[in-house]
Amino acid sequence: MDQSKFVIFFTAARFWGLIALRLADDDVLPFNYLSYTSELQKSAEHLEAEISDKGISRVPLYASIEKLGKAATRIKDDITIYAPARHDDYGSNSFTGISDAIERAKSLNSADSWRSVQHEVWRVARAIIQASLVLSGRLT
């Protein structure tokens, strides 16, 4: 390994280490829930092209995002979390479980595989509803 790559890795490790220490000491992780809600909405709209003709209902997903948005109007903080999907290590994705299920369903192309996509939509919708209940003080 040449010296310049070592310096880059060392600097990145220090940077992420400092962030980890800061977050570990925070009582509450800072989130911008309105921005997060907006990104979830965009990600849901992006899914339309991939699953709209498969008979998968997106209603629970959109309804849960709307509830999160209403609850988020009371919260004013600042950070967003995304995760890479299994099939895309370099990008970030708001609905990794749904995206991974879509990729599996595309490769298997069976009714069961597309039902698993619907299952993931329901799971994500439940998680978003739980977050909106916490934000609105109805669930602790």
Side-chain angles (χ1 to χ4, degrees), residues 5-135:
K5 287 185 181 176
F6 176 78
V7 171
I8 290 170
F9 291 137
F10 177 76
T11 303
R14 282 185 70 196
F15 173 77
W16 288 112
L18 288 172
I19 288 176
L21 286 172
R22 180 186 179 269
L23 292 175
D25 290 336
D26 283 348
D27 291 332
V28 176
L29 293 178
F31 286 95
N32 181 335
Y33 297 103
L34 288 172
S35 175
Y36 192 63
T37 301
S38 175
E39 291 300 317
L40 290 176
Q41 182 70 30
K42 289 176 192 173
S43 294
E45 291 166 0
H46 180 72
L47 288 174
E48 289 286 330
E50 296 199 58
I51 62 176
S52 62
D53 63 341
K54 303 296 181 187
I56 296 168
S57 173
R58 281 99 49 218
V59 172
L61 189 58
Y62 285 118
S64 64
I65 293 169
E66 182 180 346
K67 287 181 182 181
L68 180 63
K70 288 177 181 176
T73 57
R74 299 179 202 124
I75 306 298
K76 305 280 188 239
D77 288 324
D78 209 26
I79 237 179
T80 303
I81 293 178
Y82 296 93
R86 286 187 183 141
H87 63 278
D88 183 10
D89 291 336
Y90 298 104
S92 62
N93 190 318
S94 297
F95 304 121
T96 56
I98 296 172
S99 293
D100 290 340
I102 288 170
E103 290 304 311
R104 275 191 309 275
K106 283 179 178 177
S107 68
L108 298 173
N109 201 22
S110 68
D112 282 343
S113 64
W114 286 106
R115 276 193 288 277
S116 73
V117 174
Q118 181 67 70
H119 175 75
E120 288 299 320
V121 167
W122 282 105
R123 287 184 63 216
V124 169
R126 280 193 306 271
I128 295 170
I129 287 171
Q130 294 294 316
S132 66
L133 291 172
V134 168
L135 290 176

